[in-house]
Amino acid sequence: MLKVLLRCAAAAVAAVLCAGAEPARADWLRAESANFIVYSQGDEAALRRYVRNLETFDLTLRLRMGLPLDETAARKLPIYLVHNVRELRQINPRTGESVAGTYFPVGEDIFAASLHDRDMDYLLHEYFHHFSYQMGVTSGYPGWLVEGLAEYYMTAEIEPDAVTFGGYNQGRVMGLLASDWLPLEDLLTKRFSEVERDERASYYPLSWLLTHWFMSDDARRTQLQAYLADLQRGVGSVEAMQRATGLSMADLRLQLRRYRRLPLTTYHAAFPEPAITVTRLPPSANDLLLIGQRLKVGVVESERAATAALVRRLAARHPDDPFALLQLAHGELHFGQADIGEGLLQHLVERDPANVEALQLLAARLIERAADEPEAATDHLRRARSYLARAYESDPGQYYTLHLLARSREGAPDYPTENDLATWERAFLYAPQLPAIRLGLARALMLAGEHREAVVILRPLANGAHGGRGSEIATLLMERAEAGLPPPSAGELEAAGDEDEPETAAPEPIGGGSQPDEPSDEPAA
């Protein structure tokens, strides 16, 4: 059976193989530490230094925020270091020319990709978001402050025995000098997506400047806490800012215009040497590691057939290699011939019963089939849960396993049970960044009558600086939860303009560039 499947999947590649393959770069290395998994091609010593700097940054964030130093995040962040934009486009073909990387909170994975030879500023910006979501430290903050803190911390200068905060990113300063400022009233009350397009250029720089102004002085930090406390009590953002600072918006704007001194804060310490394990990936990763991430992110409809053909061509270079077979199955499942992909996945789990990704993909396929084939839904969902039970046994820390399991229970007569709520809560613990998980948990809580808890879960997404579809649904759910009403039905969501819950947040470009034409429709899974 496997031979038939492989022949079907690779039928068009014989001529290409005869022409030979392009020379490969150095093998991919995988470095794992307490909070990170970093993939890189090249020098192992440089990779270890990079991971050490990331761990030092994480530790210093904990010091600054008064968090336990030994409490690691529930999920490590994978980061893919690449050499150029062409390699970034292997993950997302729509990556803009000026983008230095992207943070991808998507259904099947949460990861970042970044140019290796750039300053770490924008990667640290995105890691602050990842960290704050995982640790729950900015869940009640307004959008401008969440972005401002990410901008403030991203300029950290990391040395072996010191970390300095309070510097500036030259591009952000130029943004303040080169553009008209967004009115402070809009900064304090609007999401980035709600700001007029000709004023967006100053949103991030002004968020940084206001945050730096607060963070640079003990008295002003106390004012910032008073501002946040007023927001928690329901005071409007502009009024809370005026009460906390004693300044009108015009006077505050003048203070910021005059703000030139940028005091630095340096932590000197004998930072512990983190435990880092480095392994070498198989040669198939040279061809398929980045493309494999594209399969998780998804592509626009017009590029799906070409993506499937590309995966077939690359996988054919590595016959019977488990990693290559997994990518081939994944590509067929989403963008090619789904039956072939399903058969390849079944072969993989027969060879390796603990292949978590293959088990997850099989379960996702069966959940999809249950929706399309209602007469066989019971059997499909039973088989899906069997695969998910095996995936969970192999690795209980996988949010995607838990998310699929929770989704497979929606619509059951007794939904949600205590076990359903526990499954959603555990998925949320590992992946609070994902709108689909946050919304799924909130809807389950509302169905269980726990409306107050649902509001707490929904508020950060509803108030998110970037807005978007997930934020709109969160706002709708929160209004109903605050009124003690059940969640909207699928029909009500459709009437509101949202047929399905989003599987993912939008990929966020790193480096100040735009991300044109994000992949449409649902992500790969």
Side-chain angles (χ1 to χ4, degrees):
M1 179 64 178
L2 175 63
K3 292 180 179 179
V4 174
L5 293 168
L6 289 174
R7 277 202 302 272
C8 292
V13 305
V16 177
L17 293 177
C18 291
E22 298 176 3
R25 288 186 181 272
D27 287 344
W28 280 95
L29 300 176
R30 179 185 187 274
E32 182 170 3
S33 60
N35 295 288
F36 301 92
I37 300 172
V38 182
Y39 298 86
S40 177
Q41 289 175 301
D43 181 62
E44 180 177 335
L47 175 58
R48 287 182 177 275
R49 286 194 298 273
Y50 196 95
V51 176
R52 185 188 190 280
N53 285 346
L54 289 172
E55 286 290 352
T56 298
F57 180 70
D58 176 275
L59 178 62
T60 314
L61 285 180
R62 294 166 190 273
L63 288 168
R64 289 277 294 193
M65 297 182 177
L67 297 172
L69 302 184
D70 57 352
E71 181 184 332
T72 59
R75 182 181 183 275
K76 301 178 183 184
L77 176 65
I79 299 171
Y80 294 78
L81 298 179
V82 300
H83 297 90
N84 49 52
V85 173
R86 179 179 59 82
E87 292 185 344
L88 287 177
R89 288 178 178 151
Q90 289 188 47
I91 298 174
N92 182 3
R94 303 272 175 174
T95 298
E97 192 62 41
S98 61
V99 171
T102 311
Y103 177 67
F104 295 95
V106 295
E108 292 181 14
D109 202 356
I110 298 170
F111 68 98
S114 179
L115 297 183
H116 200 309
D117 58 352
R118 292 283 184 92
D119 291 338
M120 295 177 72
D121 285 18
Y122 295 105
L123 180 61
L124 297 184
H125 174 114
E126 295 306 332
Y127 182 66
F128 176 83
H129 285 316
H130 179 88
F131 175 90
S132 61
Y133 261 118
Q134 294 287 161
M135 307 302 288
V137 292
T138 60
S139 59
Y141 290 9
W144 74 266
L145 182 56
V146 173
E147 295 300 337
L149 287 169
E151 293 284 303
Y152 177 82
Y153 284 117
M154 80 179 191
T155 61
E157 293 293 333
I158 305 171
E159 303 294 338
D161 59 352
V163 177
T164 299
F165 293 109
Y168 65 91
N169 175 277
Q170 186 172 356
R172 297 310 196 207
V173 171
M174 292 301 293
L176 289 171
L177 299 176
S179 64
D180 292 334
W181 282 17
L182 172 74
L184 289 181
E185 292 86 349
D186 288 350
L187 180 74
L188 295 177
T189 60
K190 292 184 177 180
R191 302 186 182 101
F192 176 81
S193 59
E194 295 171 332
V195 172
E196 296 294 332
R197 286 191 175 274
D198 60 352
E199 294 177 329
R200 288 183 182 180
S202 65
Y203 184 92
Y204 281 91
L206 193 51
S207 295
W208 164 76
L209 184 64
L210 181 55
T211 301
H212 201 295
W213 182 78
F214 274 119
M215 298 289 284
S216 65
D217 179 88
D218 288 342
R220 289 199 290 266
R221 281 198 295 274
T222 300
Q223 292 175 351
L224 180 60
Q225 292 305 314
Y227 163 76
L228 291 172
D230 262 357
L231 292 184
Q232 290 295 315
R233 287 189 286 267
V235 179
S237 189
V238 172
E239 182 184 350
M241 182 64 69
Q242 292 172 334
R243 286 169 45 151
T245 63
L247 299 171
S248 68
M249 291 294 98
D251 289 338
L252 179 57
R253 185 183 184 89
L254 184 60
Q255 288 272 353
L256 295 177
R257 285 287 188 188
R258 293 174 174 174
Y259 184 59
R260 292 290 183 270
R261 188 176 69 89
L262 300 179
L264 303 177
T265 300
T266 301
Y267 284 87
H268 293 280
F271 291 104
E273 194 66 34
I276 302 171
T277 302
V278 177
T279 55
R280 188 173 300 274
L281 299 187
S284 55
N286 296 338
D287 285 322
L288 288 158
L289 183 66
L290 299 181
I291 299 296
Q293 295 306 108
R294 185 195 303 184
L295 300 176
K296 298 174 181 178
V297 172
V299 297
V300 295
E301 181 70 35
S302 61
E303 296 173 0
R304 292 183 176 184
T307 298
L310 174 62
V311 175
R312 291 177 193 132
R313 176 170 66 84
L314 296 174
R317 297 175 177 176
H318 309 278
D320 211 36
D321 176 273
F323 182 76
L325 285 174
L326 179 64
Q327 308 317 312
L328 177 61
H330 199 170
E332 293 292 350
L333 199 65
H334 292 325
F335 306 135
Q337 301 181 57
D339 290 343
I340 289 177
E342 188 173 340
L344 289 169
L345 290 170
Q346 289 170 346
H347 167 72
L348 280 170
V349 299
E350 288 168 6
R351 285 178 53 171
D352 178 10
N355 189 321
V356 172
E357 284 192 62
L359 291 165
Q360 291 170 334
L361 290 171
L362 274 172
R365 164 70 170 160
L366 288 166
I367 292 171
E368 180 182 307
R369 289 182 63 186
D372 295 337
E373 305 166 13
E375 71 284 355
T378 299
D379 182 59
H380 290 331
L381 292 176
R382 178 187 56 77
R383 291 173 58 206
R385 293 185 193 113
S386 173
Y387 287 131
L388 293 171
R390 290 164 60 181
Y392 182 81
E393 184 178 358
S394 297
D395 185 353
Q398 288 276 344
Y399 75 84
Y400 189 45
T401 300
L402 295 160
H403 186 198
L404 289 171
L405 187 58
R407 281 178 52 198
S408 77
R409 285 277 305 147
E410 290 181 314
D414 59 343
Y415 180 84
T417 64
E418 286 297 321
N419 191 59
D420 293 327
L421 291 173
T423 302
W424 276 118
E425 288 167 354
R426 194 160 181 83
F428 179 75
L429 172 69
Y430 292 128
Q433 300 91 333
L434 292 187
I437 288 179
R438 191 176 287 269
L439 294 170
L441 171 58
R443 291 182 71 185
L445 287 168
M446 291 168 70
L447 287 169
E450 299 181 21
H451 295 91
R452 184 177 300 176
E453 292 81 357
V455 170
V456 172
I457 295 296
L458 290 165
R459 183 172 286 116
L461 180 56
N463 296 336
H466 292 279
R469 189 160 159 253
S471 181
E472 292 171 3
I473 299 174
T475 300
L476 175 62
L477 286 174
M478 198 164 78
E479 290 172 353
R480 295 184 66 116
E482 288 173 334
L485 298 173
S489 66
E492 289 172 310
L493 285 177
E494 184 176 353
D498 297 295
E499 294 186 11
D500 303 297
E501 294 176 359
E503 288 292 318
T504 173
E508 184 166 341
I510 299 171
S514 62
Q515 191 81 30
D517 300 329
E518 300 301 345
S520 64
D521 304 319
E522 72 281 358

